[in-house]
Amino acid sequence: MIRNPLIFAAVSDFAGKTRGKAFPEQDLNMRLRRGVGWAPTCVQITCFDVIAPSPFGAIGEVLMIPQKDTEVRVNFQDDTPPEHFFLCDITTLDGKPWSCCTRGILKAALKRLYTLAGVRLYGAFEHEFQIKDKALTANDAYGINAFSLRRQLGESIMAALAQAGLQPDSFMKEYGTEQYEFTVKPKHGVAVADAAVTARELVRMTARRLGEEVTFAPIQDIASVGNGVHIHMSFQDGGGNSVSYDPKDPHGMSKLTGAFAAGVLKYLDAILAFTAPSAVSYQRLTPHRWSVAYNNIGFEDREAALRISPVTDKSPESVAQQFNLEYRAADAAASPYLALAAIVHAGAQGIEEKLSIPPVSHEDLSLLSEDELAKRGYTRNPQSLEEALERMNNDDTVCSWFPEEFISIYTAHKKCELEQLEGESVEEQCASYARTY
Ligand code: GLU
Ligand code: MG
């Protein structure tokens, strides 16, 4: 069949969806310069394809500008056309960053961190997903047989990620029904989130070629575990040396890491509106599913909002270089750009406020009484998206981190998404999100 190859210009939007338009390959140089036209109101397309109230209406135009170093071209070596796409910044027609460009919002957050502390973010997203419909195995959490049945998928995913310039790190059968996890090696700055957008889409594209549909929805079955997105973060100076670690601190945190962590915990109730931005995200964020319920930093604790990740002197990498914080209260309903931007701003705010290294928990906080929690400065996180949106809107500091008009547009978007779910039971809501993510 005749074919004129197309390149997809992609953005990751408020709905956490990757959308855009394709152009013929021969126009690439022109498109890298002038971009691809985009309707501003597209940012209000919710994850259920309903258009939320938009200040832009049917009017106006912005430009998706493909970013050269985000190019992905994966040849699956089957009979399907290679996947070829670029991630884009969105600018106004005169080339200024657009207020609702999620990638631009992350770049501004990273710039703030660099200006304040002279450090670059080094990190990686860890993803969990589930294969839909057909359960090939039961009772085989982390099992070799469940893994073996999906070895083809795992190996194809690893190959696709590698062709896209990501360094695959692991693939495993997770605890839940048909739940799998993959990890990639860390990158710097905005590329941390670029890699997450690319990885999610490549997993879907790979699975589809093998006749499978996958979902990254925050949770499918509230009797079981959710699909988490865990964001690993450390900080490097201009020479690529870690400034995250201090052997003198009992838990290894440098003052910088401690202030960053304290900022994230202080503003956690508000930034959840960006990192856990679906109605069912809050079904996942409950105790006893290796998820997050409180505003704590824990030592090697899988139920902490921030986990101090394990390090080992058996690794060829130094302990300082390995040392990182893992933000666990995120899921794949969030655009990686917005999730990471909110976390980086909260951390930068902690540095700006010169917050001290927070106390580290070593136990199950859900077993403590309200009094005991309050005495130790812990609070239960918001338990619904409505509540998180309200906390975010009521926090002038948090609102001040973002471009003007962004907060009101994002809030209208999310409220419209919630309206779409009215009358649905929690089970139906989970099914709605599993269809969309
Ligand atoms: N599935 C858990 C979550 O929702 C995480 C399990 C793990 O620690 O890998 O975050
Ligand atoms: Mg996992």
Side-chain angles (χ1 to χ4, degrees):
M1 181 57 75
I2 53 169
R3 202 166 71 77
N4 190 354
L6 292 166
I7 300 177
F8 194 87
V11 295
S12 165
D13 65 9
F14 288 8
K17 288 279 204 176
T18 312
R19 306 185 209 259
K21 298 179 183 173
F23 56 84
E25 206 173 74
Q26 57 267 34
D27 287 350
L28 177 59
N29 283 333
M30 180 273 283
R31 292 295 179 189
L32 286 172
R33 271 200 315 279
R34 93 170 281 290
V36 179
W38 192 237
T41 281
C42 285
V43 79
Q44 290 304 66
I45 304 175
T46 69
C47 65
F48 304 125
D49 269 7
V50 171
I51 301 184
S54 162
F56 312 112
I59 298 175
E61 187 86 353
V62 286
L63 295 173
M64 296 188 287
I65 311 284
Q67 299 298 298
K68 236 179 168 165
D69 49 2
T70 68
E71 180 174 13
V72 172
R73 192 172 185 285
V74 176
N75 188 341
F76 287 87
Q77 289 167 19
D78 53 2
D79 53 5
T80 61
E83 296 287 353
H84 197 179
F85 61 87
F86 282 75
L87 304 177
C88 300
D89 280 349
I90 311 182
T91 71
T92 59
L93 292 181
D94 52 6
K96 301 210 173 67
W98 184 46
S99 58
C100 294
C101 168
T102 57
R103 195 168 186 273
I105 287 171
L106 174 58
K107 287 203 282 190
L110 293 167
K111 193 168 165 200
R112 178 180 177 207
L113 178 66
Y114 186 78
T115 310
L116 258 175
V119 296
R120 289 210 298 162
L121 185 79
Y122 186 58
F125 281 59
E126 187 181 314
H127 285 100
E128 294 170 340
F129 66 90
Q130 284 168 294
I131 299 172
K132 284 204 230 175
D133 304 329
K134 295 172 273 189
L136 293 187
T137 50
N139 308 335
D140 211 8
Y142 310 108
I144 190 169
N145 278 299
F147 167 78
S148 169
L149 281 164
R150 300 298 185 184
R151 178 180 279 277
Q152 175 72 62
L153 176 65
E155 291 183 356
S156 299
I157 288 172
M158 298 289 105
L161 296 176
Q163 274 193 48
L166 277 64
Q167 291 173 278
D169 180 64
S170 67
F171 179 82
M172 64 170 179
K173 169 70 182 69
E174 250 290 354
Y175 180 77
T177 308
E178 285 298 333
Q179 188 184 36
Y180 299 83
E181 174 184 310
F182 66 96
T183 58
V184 294
K185 300 234 161 64
K187 288 187 177 275
H188 287 103
V190 71
V192 177
D194 289 337
V197 177
T198 295
R200 283 178 203 174
E201 299 314 331
L202 285 181
V203 168
R204 290 187 232 276
M205 290 164 174
T206 308
R208 218 171 290 129
R209 281 170 168 80
L210 293 169
E212 305 289 354
E213 284 290 326
V214 301
T215 179
F216 288 80
I219 192 162
Q220 285 205 92
D221 172 7
I222 57 165
S224 183
V225 291
N227 294 308
V229 168
H230 303 158
I231 308 176
H232 293 265
M233 299 170 293
S234 64
F235 313 100
Q236 292 187 352
D237 65 16
N241 302 308
S242 172
V243 287
S244 315
Y245 181 68
D246 183 347
K248 291 193 288 299
D249 177 69
H251 302 98
M253 282 186 275
S254 66
K255 281 207 167 60
L256 174 96
T257 302
F260 187 96
V264 172
L265 299 179
K266 179 169 172 184
Y267 296 100
L268 183 65
D269 63 337
I271 66 172
L272 283 170
F274 300 110
T275 67
S278 78
V280 297
S281 299
Y282 297 82
Q283 300 295 332
R284 170 179 163 256
L285 297 177
T286 54
H288 304 151
R289 34 177 127 231
W290 286 10
S291 171
V292 178
Y294 300 91
N295 61 340
N296 62 318
I297 179 166
F299 187 68
E300 299 178 359
D301 175 0
R302 288 181 181 77
E303 297 210 358
L306 282 175
R307 177 169 80 127
I308 300 175
S309 303
V311 287
T312 167
D313 54 17
K314 301 277 179 256
S315 168
E317 264 189 333
S318 70
V319 165
Q321 212 66 14
Q322 293 167 56
F323 189 82
N324 71 87
L325 297 180
E326 179 189 41
Y327 180 92
R328 295 179 63 91
D331 61 53
S335 163
Y337 298 122
L338 280 186
L340 191 56
I343 298 165
V344 168
H345 270 302
Q349 187 69 35
I351 296 171
E352 202 169 289
E353 292 177 24
K354 301 190 168 51
L355 300 181
S356 27
I357 299 178
V360 173
S361 62
H362 291 257
E363 66 196 298
D364 181 353
L365 296 188
S366 72
L367 302 178
L368 301 185
S369 68
E370 298 239 332
D371 278 357
E372 189 60 28
L373 285 169
K375 228 189 319 175
R376 294 170 50 181
Y378 294 124
T379 48
R380 180 71 171 89
N381 296 323
Q383 293 180 57
S384 69
L385 178 58
E386 287 92 334
E387 198 184 332
L389 284 168
E390 200 177 305
R391 301 280 188 98
M392 184 269 283
N393 271 278
N394 289 340
D395 193 322
D396 291 342
T397 306
V398 173
C399 293
S400 76
W401 301 336
F402 296 95
E404 234 185 294
E405 79 179 4
F406 164 78
I407 294 287
S408 62
I409 299 173
Y410 181 81
T411 304
H413 179 125
K414 285 289 150 184
K415 289 207 161 141
C416 175
E417 177 182 326
L418 290 172
E419 278 166 24
Q420 298 309 302
L421 295 163
E422 267 169 29
E424 288 189 8
S425 66
V426 171
E427 289 73 18
E428 288 164 338
Q429 292 183 6
C430 289
S432 296
Y433 281 107
R435 272 194 297 277
T436 202
Y437 293 112

